[in-house]
Amino acid sequence: MSGSGAAPGPGSGSSPAACRFAHYFVLCGIDADSGLEPDELAVLYQWLEADRHGKSQETTNTTSGENFDQSPLRRTFKSKVLAHYPQSIEWNPFDQDAVNMLCMPKGLSFRTQADNKEPQFHSFIITREDGSRTYGFVLTFYEEVTSKQICTAMQTLYQMHNAEQHGSVYASSSCSMDSLASSIDEGDATSLLKLQRYNSYDINRDTLYVSKSICLITPLPFMQACKKFLLQLYKAVTSQQPPPLPLESYIHNILYEVPLPPPGRSLKFYGVYEPVICQRPGPNELPLSDYPLREAFELLGLENLVQVFTCVLLEMQILLYSQDYQRLMTVAEGITTLLFPFQWQHVYVPILPASLLHFLDAPVPYLMGLQSKEGTDRSKLELPQEANLCFVDIDNHFIELPEEFPQFPNKVDFIQELSEVLLQFGIPPEGSLHCSESATKLKNMVLKDLANDRKNGNVPTSNISVYELMKGNETIARLQALADRTGVTVEKIDLSASLNEKEKDLKLQCEEAELRDYQLNIQVREVFASRFIQMFADYEAFVIQTAQDMEAWLTNREQMQNFDKASFLSDQPEPYLPFLSRFIETQMFATFIDNKIMSQWEEKDPLLRVFDSRIEKIRLYNVRAPTPTLRTSIYQKCNSLKEAAQSIEQRLMKMDHTAIHPHLLDMKIGQGKYEQGFFPKLQSDVLAAGPANNNRWVSRNATAQRRKERLRQHSEHIGLDNDLREPSGELLVCQNSMAFWEWDQGPTPPARLPKKSFSECCLKYMQEARSLGKNMRQPKLSDLSPAVIAQTNWKFVEGLLKECRMKTKRMLVEKMGHEAVELGHGEANITGLEENTLIASLCDLLERIWSHGLQVKQGKSALWSHLIHFQDREEKQEHLTDSPVALGPERRKSDSGVMLPTLRVSLIQDMRHVQNMSEIKTDVGRARAWIRLSLEKKLLSQHLKQLLSNQLLTKKLYKRYAFLRCEEEREQFLYHLLSLNAVDYFCFTSVFTTIMIPYRAVIIPIKKLSNAIITSNPWICVSGELGDTGVMQIPKNLLEMTFECQNLGKLTTAQIGHDNSGLLAKWLVDCVMVRNEITGHTYRFPCGRWLGKGIDDGSLERILIGELMTSASDEDLGKQCRTPPQQKSPTTTRRLSITSLTGKPAKPNAGQIQEGIGEAVNNIVKHFHKPEKERGSLTVLLCGENGLVAALEQVFHHGFKSARIFHKNVFIWDFVEKAVAYFETTDQILDNEDDVLIQKSSCKTFCHYVNAINTAPRSIGKDGKFQILVCLGTRDHLLPQWIPLLAECPAITRMYEESALLRDHMTVNSLIRILQTIQDFTIVLEGSLIKGVDV
């Protein structure tokens, strides 16, 4: 919608016409000369439907377009533009086919005297090639058919129809899509009788009526004013008395003598019987919106409307469904007007004729309205794409939402605030569907009364009619006043005066209702605007403005990041994130940010200007307020409701401008003859052009203003893109209400352009930066041939491929982190939330690709439907021949020869895994789960390639032009998906947290040095981020087991042990391998230690830290991409300083040890400074390789006298136990009493912890006990107190050399300071680390 700041219709030259209220008056109906012609679009629709269902086109009568299943009164016949005035306007050329189709979307309708013939009002939108809009307002009524030829033709059609049917007139259609084109009820015998009564025509018995439309085309959406004007014209036609002036006078007046009201002003002009008022918001108010939101809330209910609004914000596919065209427009315009300061950037078709239903195939976000037929319910409506569809059944007060749908922030409070506004205006928040229906009937009755009785100027005396016309005339008013003063009474004038009093009361009530509608509109919109102002109050801080000038910015637009998304999200309240993370990926948000950047060089976009001024206002308020309210999740109500309502009321109460009265024109005598019930043939010569010099209300700078407005609108709707954005808008689809899109081949731009104006820059950008950025033209319905439709679909194929390239690139860049930043790809890091958003977006894209050109579908998901068809065929073939299953490349083998059996790679197997998940109830959910699983297994591209390799199946399911049948594009698409194998995703494991998963575990011993057979009973317990398995017995001497448990998430630790029974109880374990049998993720838990009494440190159980293994193919890909690993896990034996099996290790020096401590602590600090959802495993940072435990072990090992005394190893834990013995038997003497208390407390705590570990019911070795002590000391922030105690303990001199780090005071103090840096963090230990230890 155009901004409120200036008149939209950009013009050329100094013509005043661009400032006119209305551009065209149009009359559509039946052409008596050509007679009854079938609607060509209906013929095309039948052809497409036959093609869609694989029927032979020959069986469809494509020449006559006859459909003998339908009653002739219900068939579509071609309408025609009978007249339009003026002929054409330079800046808004008249498109005859488009206007005809939108005025009469169903074509001509015929009725008899038995049918309802109430006039129907509806409106439409045409979006011009520069993105600016033109609005049409249509009143359709019925006229008696006077042509004997047409009546006879209808009678003949009925005879043919009856002969063809032979009593089976109302057989059900075999195709559910056909029911859209047919209004025949599929029902019981009662409805059949009803149809037979109403769907018949006898030339001798019945009177035939045909529809006719009168239409105003305007530059701004003054819906209420145009509706009033058209209703008055209709009343003049049906009234028993002719109108005061010929109809040409009123039409000429509104076309040429009524100006647009200036911004912030109101205007009064005159209809046939009474004045019409309209108003326009000022430059700092919300833009004009004349569609009553009251009706939208009554039709949908508040809750439903907010949900649909959220779908629109997230740029899903929204399909509105209603029998009433005006309801479709009211809801569509109502919701899009609430988007301020954002604008819908995709296909916008509030009224989609049934004959163009195949355009729902468009694989792009859309907002379309489809007229439902009486008796056709939702179940009979077969739609090509439903996975990401929001279906809105307006008439039945019902919506269907897509799955994985985030709620609007503060939704409950938001709905509560809106409810309060609605209740003030007497509107129930749950909607009032039945009320609104009865209200419509009531309005129709009132309209009938106005037409048929003698109210409102239809009094049969011509004197009163003339008085009515001239009651605003000053002379008549003075005469009336003089007559009153002198007491002279004139009967006729008294009569008219009394009528005027009644009329005045009625008029006041009408204006009151209208005023309340305006006030409701503005107050509701202010509440919505207030939400965005709160949410994006600080958006400007995150806009990245790097270019020095506009030309440089436009040239490099695709390579630039223009909004710091990660920082913006990290700054938002947690409850907002699910919605915001998806919203900032949309085209409308990207365009909004582009407009912000462009405002450095050009005048601000009107919506942006109003939005920024509101934010400035709220900032000033926050400076003065005692507690600032920006960036908070606390709900704040809108505080500008009263002020907004008052400004509208002031404009409507006091008229700023009054247009010229309608007046007699220089017309030929005898023409324009009045005949009740028939719209007269208008004199075209007086309506073809306006007055010669009518420049009174044209501002001097109108031309410059119009040019600026056109450029502004141009930038609004182009939707400048970058490479890392939801690129659905890249298609640059023409948003025409006819839902037909076509591209022209644009001229090749010159290699180097001279210094450019803004429009030239935009043009250059459109031509060069977009792969599909070709100029569009107004579509011609005469071009609507199968060849053109195929060409249109080819553009969709190109657009889908480009979107896939961008999405995969964005996912890789975000996942690669720091290295991608170094290579110049933008911000580092990706939150779990953002990753989920990007993957959900990829799922949507795959559904749209699989929906394009689909002709056979089961369920709502096109992808899952294809997979099911593939599965059925493969399983049939498996029964016939036992075909070998493809094996994966990975074979996990260790030195000992024990290995994990190979996990087979199978598309069907992955489908079965998903089908076994009882948590997923829908096909759309199953398709998404399958995509996530394939992505996590790095098999998405391979699986889809296998799926598409069955060409016979693809040909059966898809039309010729479908994306999946374009071989070259399909190969490129699979290649883009293959690139995602370069990074690790856990998008299946992390989302489906409650499912049961089978795991396989293998224990790999070092056979060279230990017994091949052990007599004791081994056990294992595996833990992950989501839980653990509990202790499980391992079958003796098998070393391998499978088990099923609830999803453990990423695996972190494995506890392994045995009961030390039998003679062969000593066990040397190299590592444990555990594999998730669904995702294929394999974890290695290195050990390299003995388990058994009297060997190593005497441990019967060990806690092992896991690392995720990568397959050979992943490693190669990783090397090519130079992607940093997700996390470094511990490798084999880290405690080499004592327990090496191969002699003396290379010991680290003091500097390396201190560096290791610093690095370990630094990693823990960094872990806690990341957002919670981005943190990895704390267990790895504590107990893994280079973790805190390993680093402290190095400190304690430095200078440790570990020589064997009588062949017995000495361990750090021995030193700890000696220290405890000393602390428990000795009271140390200190000078300061406070120090004594602190030290005593520390000694007591230390002894308590060590004794608790020693007495725990676990067979943990000495090194394991030290690990537990360090973990507990870290958790409870006690390490800085314990280190000095141990350093000053007398046992240190016996067990450590003099050069040891623990005997150096400076080193010990440095170590304490380093450990104090993690004192402020709340550390939560994994249960497996400290199980059984009670402190």
Side-chain angles (χ1 to χ4, degrees):
M1 190 173 298
S2 58
S4 60
S12 55
S14 58
S15 162
C19 296
R20 295 199 309 234
F21 179 87
H23 286 172
Y24 293 101
F25 177 82
V26 186
L27 189 64
C28 295
I30 191 166
D31 183 5
D33 299 332
S34 55
L36 288 182
E37 289 182 75
D39 192 342
E40 286 172 18
L41 290 170
V43 177
L44 176 65
Y45 172 62
Q46 288 167 25
W47 185 90
L48 286 161
E49 279 306 289
D51 178 54
R52 173 187 173 83
H53 293 282
K55 295 173 190 169
S56 163
Q57 273 83 29
E58 284 74 22
T59 61
T60 310
N61 187 346
T62 52
T63 51
S64 69
E66 298 293 348
N67 177 359
F68 290 113
D69 285 344
Q70 273 188 310
S71 148
L73 275 182
R74 295 292 173 261
R75 291 180 201 167
T76 52
F77 295 97
K78 194 174 180 181
S79 62
K80 189 176 176 183
V81 174
L82 303 176
H84 66 278
Y85 309 102
Q87 279 305 302
S88 193
I89 297 173
E90 184 184 345
W91 67 92
N92 183 16
F94 187 77
D95 187 333
Q96 186 151 311
D97 292 319
V99 172
N100 177 37
M101 186 174 172
L102 292 165
C103 282
M104 305 191 102
K106 291 183 291 192
L108 292 173
S109 295
F110 284 92
R111 296 278 187 273
T112 66
Q113 75 284 350
D115 296 313
N116 173 29
K117 298 184 292 300
E118 292 295 343
Q120 294 291 321
F121 174 82
H122 78 271
S123 48
F124 62 81
I125 290 175
I126 295 180
T127 307
R128 294 198 290 269
E129 63 188 43
D130 65 353
S132 56
R133 291 178 176 181
T134 299
Y135 296 82
F137 302 98
V138 186
L139 189 71
T140 304
F141 55 94
Y142 287 88
E143 268 187 0
E144 187 181 332
V145 177
T146 52
S147 163
K148 191 81 190 300
Q149 178 192 356
I150 288 170
C151 293
T152 309
M154 182 61 72
Q155 175 84 356
T156 309
L157 283 174
Y158 258 102
Q159 289 166 356
M160 291 168 65
H161 172 69
N162 292 333
E164 186 72 27
Q165 290 305 299
H166 294 300
S168 60
V169 181
Y170 304 110
S172 287
S173 167
S174 60
C175 164
S176 58
M177 279 289 239
D178 289 340
S179 62
L180 286 165
S182 161
S183 60
I184 295 172
D185 276 322
E186 297 172 3
D188 53 19
T190 318
S191 62
L192 287 178
L193 289 169
K194 183 181 165 188
L195 281 166
Q196 284 164 355
R197 189 165 64 251
Y198 283 107
N199 289 351
S200 63
Y201 172 67
D202 184 331
I203 197 166
N204 299 314
R205 183 191 67 211
D206 297 317
T207 309
L208 191 63
Y209 295 86
V210 68
S211 56
K212 182 174 271 190
S213 289
I214 48 177
C215 168
L216 279 177
I217 292 178
T218 65
L220 286 180
F222 290 112
M223 193 270 288
Q224 303 284 11
C226 292
K227 184 177 182 179
K228 283 183 181 177
F229 181 83
L230 292 173
L231 280 169
Q232 289 188 49
L233 277 186
Y234 170 72
K235 193 171 92 175
V237 169
T238 54
S239 170
Q240 292 180 353
Q241 295 299 319
L245 291 172
L247 292 188
E248 284 88 343
S249 295
Y250 304 103
I251 294 165
H252 181 276
N253 179 251
I254 200 167
L255 283 178
Y256 302 112
E257 296 171 336
V258 176
L260 279 174
R265 297 280 187 262
S266 53
L267 170 76
K268 179 162 78 173
F269 64 94
Y270 293 88
V272 181
Y273 298 111
E274 58 185 37
V276 178
I277 290 165
C278 61
Q279 59 86 33
R280 191 170 167 194
N284 294 317
E285 295 176 57
L286 297 179
L288 175 66
S289 169
D290 212 33
Y291 287 82
L293 286 169
R294 171 184 51 75
E295 285 184 28
F297 282 107
E298 284 175 346
L299 291 167
L300 289 185
L302 175 53
E303 172 89 22
N304 283 348
L305 191 132
V306 169
Q307 296 287 59
V308 176
F309 172 72
T310 310
C311 289
V312 173
L313 282 172
L314 298 176
E315 295 186 339
M316 296 172 173
Q317 294 178 319
I318 293 97
L319 183 63
L320 309 176
Y321 194 60
S322 172
Q323 288 188 51
D324 188 315
Y325 290 129
Q326 187 56 19
R327 283 183 176 184
L328 295 173
M329 275 299 293
T330 299
V331 172
E333 279 292 289
I335 286 174
T336 51
T337 198
L338 296 173
L339 295 174
F340 170 88
F342 308 103
Q343 290 174 295
W344 179 255
Q345 297 293 319
H346 299 282
V347 180
Y348 182 60
V349 191
I351 296 173
L352 177 69
S355 55
L356 297 185
L357 190 73
H358 53 281
F359 283 116
L360 292 171
D361 249 352
V364 290
Y366 59 67
L367 175 49
M368 297 199 207
L370 184 68
Q371 196 212 16
S372 60
K373 301 288 182 183
E374 197 174 347
T376 306
D377 62 16
R378 167 73 178 98
S379 60
K380 296 193 182 94
L381 183 66
E382 186 182 300
L383 298 165
Q385 304 179 58
E386 293 180 87
N388 199 33
L389 180 75
C390 171
F391 182 82
V392 185
D393 187 340
I394 297 173
D395 299 340
N396 293 315
H397 205 68
F398 165 75
I399 62 170
E400 273 177 35
L401 292 169
E403 293 179 28
E404 294 187 17
F405 176 73
Q407 296 299 327
F408 192 72
N410 291 117
K411 183 183 153 194
V412 174
D413 295 319
F414 182 47
I415 285 179
Q416 179 59 37
E417 183 181 6
L418 286 167
S419 298
E420 289 168 13
V421 174
L422 293 177
L423 288 168
Q424 283 176 13
F425 289 87
I427 299 166
E430 65 276 6
S432 51
L433 180 69
H434 304 296
C435 300
S436 62
E437 279 180 353
S438 57
T440 310
K441 284 176 187 164
L442 189 66
K443 279 182 201 164
N444 289 338
M445 282 166 63
V446 169
L447 192 64
K448 208 170 186 179
D449 289 344
L450 289 175
N452 296 339
D453 72 9
R454 303 188 168 206
K455 291 179 194 170
N456 295 338
N458 285 348
V459 180
T461 53
S462 56
N463 292 352
I464 287 177
S465 296
V466 172
Y467 178 78
E468 278 295 305
L469 168 70
M470 303 183 73
K471 65 184 175 189
N473 185 297
E474 287 180 21
T475 311
I476 295 290
R478 282 202 297 272
L479 284 171
Q480 174 71 41
L482 181 63
D484 287 346
R485 278 201 306 276
T486 54
V488 176
T489 57
V490 184
E491 268 191 14
K492 286 181 180 175
I493 290 182
D494 278 347
L495 170 63
S496 67
S498 66
L499 277 173
N500 277 338
E501 284 303 315
K502 287 179 186 174
E503 192 178 82
K504 191 176 179 184
D505 293 341
L506 184 68
K507 195 175 90 176
L508 276 172
Q509 286 169 14
C510 287
E511 283 184 6
E512 185 66 30
E514 194 177 327
L515 173 63
R516 287 177 68 77
D517 270 359
Y518 276 125
Q519 288 179 330
L520 173 67
N521 265 25
I522 197 66
Q523 291 198 2
V524 166
R525 291 172 68 208
E526 286 287 351
V527 173
F528 275 83
S530 173
R531 294 313 315 129
F532 288 123
I533 290 163
Q534 294 294 337
M535 265 188 269
F536 295 99
D538 54 353
Y539 84 95
E540 215 170 326
F542 302 97
V543 175
I544 303 167
Q545 300 187 346
T546 49
Q548 296 302 309
D549 61 87
M550 183 169 66
E551 191 174 338
W553 182 77
L554 285 170
T555 307
N556 301 305
R557 180 68 192 82
E558 288 212 3
Q559 286 74 43
M560 286 186 180
Q561 280 282 343
N562 64 357
F563 191 73
D564 186 354
K565 293 173 182 172
S567 301
F568 174 77
L569 288 175
S570 67
D571 230 14
Q572 301 308 309
E574 182 77 18
Y576 289 14
L577 295 178
F579 170 80
L580 283 177
S581 62
R582 287 182 66 172
F583 178 65
I584 62 172
E585 297 293 330
T586 59
Q587 183 79 27
M588 72 174 78
F589 183 76
T591 303
F592 172 76
I593 297 298
D594 281 345
N595 285 343
K596 179 66 182 175
I597 293 172
M598 297 288 273
S599 68
Q600 298 173 84
W601 306 295
E602 290 289 332
E603 187 183 342
K604 257 190 190 177
D605 165 79
L607 298 185
L608 182 66
R609 187 183 64 242
V610 176
F611 188 67
D612 282 353
S613 69
R614 300 284 179 97
I615 287 176
E616 196 55 42
K617 194 173 170 185
I618 205 173
R619 282 213 184 104
L620 289 171
Y621 170 76
N622 271 281
V623 169
R624 298 193 195 108
T627 52
T629 53
L630 289 180
R631 248 184 261 160
T632 172
S633 59
I634 299 166
Y635 190 83
Q636 295 160 59
K637 287 190 174 182
C638 177
N639 53 16
S640 58
L641 297 183
K642 198 172 179 184
E643 181 188 327
Q646 280 173 350
S647 62
I648 287 219
E649 190 171 354
Q650 284 165 7
R651 274 200 294 275
L652 288 174
M653 289 303 175
K654 177 181 170 290
M655 287 298 107
D656 298 302
H657 301 281
T658 304
I660 302 169
H661 285 248
H663 50 85
L664 279 170
L665 301 170
D666 185 15
M667 290 171 64
K668 294 172 189 169
I669 296 169
Q671 286 200 353
K673 187 181 174 188
Y674 175 77
E675 191 177 347
Q676 187 185 357
F678 293 92
F679 200 88
K681 185 173 181 181
L682 302 171
Q683 287 194 27
S684 54
D685 51 345
V686 295
L687 293 177
N693 56 343
N694 187 16
N695 291 318
R696 288 190 296 279
W697 34 265
V698 181
S699 64
R700 289 179 185 176
N701 64 346
T703 310
Q705 188 66 31
R706 287 196 301 275
R707 191 175 296 116
K708 278 183 183 175
E709 180 63 17
R710 178 158 191 164
L711 296 177
R712 192 183 301 118
Q713 289 179 336
H714 195 53
S715 67
E716 277 174 27
H717 293 276
I718 282 170
L720 300 172
D721 274 314
N722 66 32
D723 215 19
L724 302 179
R725 177 194 303 167
E726 288 288 335
S728 317
E730 290 280 341
L731 291 168
L732 201 63
V733 176
C734 179
Q735 305 174 28
N736 196 292
S737 290
M738 291 166 299
F740 174 69
W741 311 291
E742 183 180 343
W743 289 262
D744 267 348
Q745 298 292 334
T748 309
R752 185 165 179 79
L753 292 172
K755 187 71 180 168
K756 302 168 190 66
S757 70
F758 171 58
S759 55
E760 286 169 331
C761 281
C762 286
L763 185 63
K764 169 182 179 289
Y765 184 76
M766 283 171 70
Q767 290 171 330
E768 291 178 353
R770 290 170 170 277
S771 66
L772 297 177
K774 295 161 187 163
N775 292 337
M776 295 175 297
R777 67 163 188 247
Q778 276 294 93
K780 300 291 179 192
L781 292 175
S782 54
D783 292 344
L784 195 56
S785 63
V788 172
I789 289 169
Q791 175 68 11
T792 303
N793 278 291
W794 176 244
K795 297 299 176 188
F796 283 144
V797 169
E798 289 183 354
L800 286 169
L801 184 61
K802 181 168 186 181
E803 189 174 350
C804 180
R805 175 173 67 80
M806 290 177 167
K807 274 200 167 63
T808 50
K809 178 180 173 183
R810 171 77 194 277
M811 288 171 76
L812 284 171
V813 166
E814 292 285 21
K815 195 73 173 163
M816 284 178 176
H818 294 291
E819 184 184 333
V821 177
E822 286 164 20
L823 297 173
H825 287 307
E827 70 247 33
N829 269 329
I830 177 168
T831 64
L833 190 76
E834 280 179 288
E835 178 177 310
N836 211 32
T837 300
L838 291 173
I839 289 165
S841 177
L842 178 70
C843 293
D844 293 342
L845 172 65
L846 292 180
E847 280 290 0
R848 282 192 278 125
I849 285 173
W850 256 258
S851 299
H852 185 240
L854 181 67
Q855 57 188 8
V856 179
K857 186 178 73 165
Q858 299 170 356
K860 287 190 175 182
S861 167
L863 174 58
W864 191 251
S865 171
H866 194 169
L867 284 166
I868 291 291
H869 279 103
F870 180 81
Q871 185 183 30
D872 291 345
R873 291 195 173 205
E874 290 295 303
E875 285 174 349
K876 278 176 191 170
Q877 284 183 346
E878 274 180 27
H879 288 310
L880 295 172
T881 58
D882 291 330
S883 57
V885 181
L887 296 178
E890 54 184 286
R891 299 182 74 80
R892 310 274 183 208
K893 190 165 182 176
S894 75
D895 301 337
S896 65
V898 181
M899 57 180 281
L900 275 170
T902 307
L903 188 69
R904 67 178 193 168
V905 175
S906 162
L907 184 159
I908 302 293
Q909 189 60 42
D910 286 346
M911 281 187 69
R912 286 177 186 146
H913 285 316
V914 171
Q915 285 164 328
N916 291 336
M917 292 164 64
S918 58
E919 293 83 355
I920 302 176
K921 311 290 185 192
T922 62
D923 287 350
V924 173
R926 290 183 192 100
R928 290 181 178 230
W930 183 85
I931 292 167
R932 285 174 178 276
L933 178 58
S934 303
L935 191 58
E936 185 163 326
K937 293 178 81 167
K938 303 190 177 185
L939 292 172
L940 183 58
S941 180
Q942 186 180 328
H943 278 350
L944 292 177
K945 188 173 186 177
Q946 188 185 345
L947 177 66
L948 296 169
S949 64
N950 189 330
Q951 293 186 355
L952 287 174
L953 177 61
T954 311
K955 281 180 180 174
K956 178 190 167 190
L957 298 180
Y958 288 91
K959 297 174 188 173
R960 289 184 297 277
Y961 60 74
F963 181 95
L964 298 177
R965 288 184 64 181
C966 302
E967 287 187 23
E968 193 177 325
E969 283 69 26
R970 190 177 66 206
E971 287 305 310
Q972 289 183 52
F973 157 71
L974 292 171
Y975 174 75
H976 291 317
L977 290 183
L978 185 63
S979 67
L980 295 175
N981 290 6
V983 289
D984 295 325
Y985 283 103
F986 289 88
C987 49
F988 180 85
T989 307
S990 59
V991 169
F992 301 105
T993 55
T994 59
I995 62 171
M996 297 301 287
I997 287 183
Y999 292 90
R1000 184 181 294 270
V1002 174
I1003 292 91
I1004 300 173
I1006 301 177
K1007 286 190 176 177
K1008 294 171 190 172
L1009 299 167
S1010 74
N1011 307 310
I1013 297 170
I1014 59 165
T1015 55
S1016 57
N1017 300 301
W1019 57 266
I1020 190 170
C1021 174
V1022 181
S1023 301
E1025 292 179 348
L1026 301 174
D1028 66 51
T1029 59
V1031 172
M1032 300 180 293
Q1033 295 299 319
I1034 301 169
K1036 261 189 191 175
N1037 301 318
L1038 277 183
L1039 303 178
E1040 184 179 335
M1041 66 183 292
T1042 56
F1043 57 91
E1044 191 177 75
C1045 66
Q1046 190 168 305
N1047 186 0
L1048 299 173
K1050 292 180 193 173
L1051 302 188
T1052 50
T1053 63
Q1055 292 162 261
I1056 185 170
H1058 62 82
D1059 62 359
N1060 205 42
S1061 60
L1063 294 168
L1064 302 172
K1066 296 184 177 70
W1067 198 18
L1068 179 57
V1069 176
D1070 176 39
C1071 65
V1072 174
M1073 308 280 278
V1074 181
R1075 182 174 68 203
N1076 179 323
E1077 295 290 275
I1078 290 182
T1079 66
H1081 285 315
T1082 305
Y1083 293 83
R1084 186 170 183 270
F1085 298 87
C1087 180
R1089 302 287 294 268
W1090 286 93
L1091 284 92
K1093 289 288 183 189
I1095 191 165
D1096 203 337
D1097 65 346
S1099 180
L1100 288 183
E1101 64 175 273
R1102 294 198 183 278
I1103 300 166
L1104 312 178
I1105 311 300
E1107 65 175 354
L1108 179 64
M1109 304 290 286
T1110 52
S1111 66
S1113 58
D1114 292 349
E1115 283 166 8
D1116 296 341
L1117 196 52
K1119 282 172 193 167
Q1120 291 165 18
C1121 300
R1122 291 179 53 244
T1123 308
Q1126 191 173 26
Q1127 61 182 32
K1128 190 80 172 105
S1129 302
T1131 57
T1132 8
T1133 46
R1134 61 156 195 252
R1135 300 180 181 86
L1136 292 170
S1137 52
I1138 292 182
T1139 60
S1140 171
L1141 306 162
T1142 55
K1144 291 183 179 179
K1147 291 183 179 179
N1149 61 37
Q1152 289 170 329
I1153 291 170
Q1154 286 174 297
E1155 197 177 305
I1157 277 281
E1159 188 64 30
V1161 171
N1162 196 27
N1163 285 338
I1164 293 172
V1165 172
K1166 283 196 283 190
H1167 169 88
F1168 283 102
H1169 276 101
K1170 287 179 185 174
E1172 200 168 333
K1173 291 182 179 176
E1174 292 180 44
R1175 296 173 187 173
S1177 168
L1178 187 59
T1179 303
V1180 172
L1181 299 181
L1182 289 172
C1183 305
E1185 185 184 26
N1186 304 325
L1188 183 61
V1189 173
L1192 281 173
E1193 275 182 355
Q1194 297 285 11
V1195 172
F1196 276 86
H1197 278 308
H1198 188 262
F1200 190 59
K1201 294 176 182 176
S1202 57
R1204 296 183 177 191
I1205 305 163
F1206 305 114
H1207 301 288
K1208 186 181 176 186
N1209 272 344
V1210 182
F1211 294 88
I1212 299 172
W1213 193 251
D1214 295 324
F1215 166 62
V1216 169
E1217 285 182 328
K1218 281 190 167 56
V1220 168
Y1222 169 71
F1223 295 144
E1224 285 177 340
T1225 56
T1226 314
D1227 279 333
Q1228 290 176 292
I1229 300 160
L1230 288 170
D1231 300 336
N1232 190 328
E1233 283 187 23
D1234 291 343
D1235 289 347
V1236 172
L1237 289 170
I1238 291 166
Q1239 190 138 2
K1240 273 191 174 179
S1241 168
S1242 299
C1243 290
K1244 194 175 177 184
T1245 311
F1246 181 70
C1247 296
H1248 172 62
Y1249 275 67
V1250 173
N1251 291 330
I1253 292 167
N1254 272 329
T1255 56
R1258 292 177 68 177
S1259 308
I1260 304 167
K1262 291 179 178 178
D1263 282 349
K1265 289 175 179 177
F1266 181 75
Q1267 175 172 293
I1268 292 174
L1269 184 67
V1270 172
C1271 288
L1272 288 170
T1274 309
R1275 182 192 73 182
D1276 299 337
H1277 310 305
L1278 295 169
L1279 287 181
Q1281 297 172 31
W1282 291 349
I1283 297 287
L1285 289 180
L1286 292 169
E1288 290 163 18
C1289 166
I1292 201 162
T1293 53
R1294 296 197 299 278
M1295 302 186 76
Y1296 282 86
E1297 293 163 6
E1298 203 168 324
S1299 59
L1301 287 173
L1302 279 178
R1303 293 183 67 178
D1304 178 4
H1305 287 297
M1306 282 182 66
T1307 307
V1308 170
N1309 289 334
S1310 169
L1311 176 61
I1312 291 165
R1313 282 198 304 275
I1314 290 171
L1315 291 172
Q1316 281 171 339
T1317 58
I1318 53 176
Q1319 294 290 82
D1320 297 334
F1321 304 121
T1322 305
I1323 290 170
V1324 179
L1325 297 176
E1326 197 173 311
S1328 60
L1329 294 177
I1330 53 167
K1331 194 190 288 181
V1333 180
D1334 182 18
V1335 292

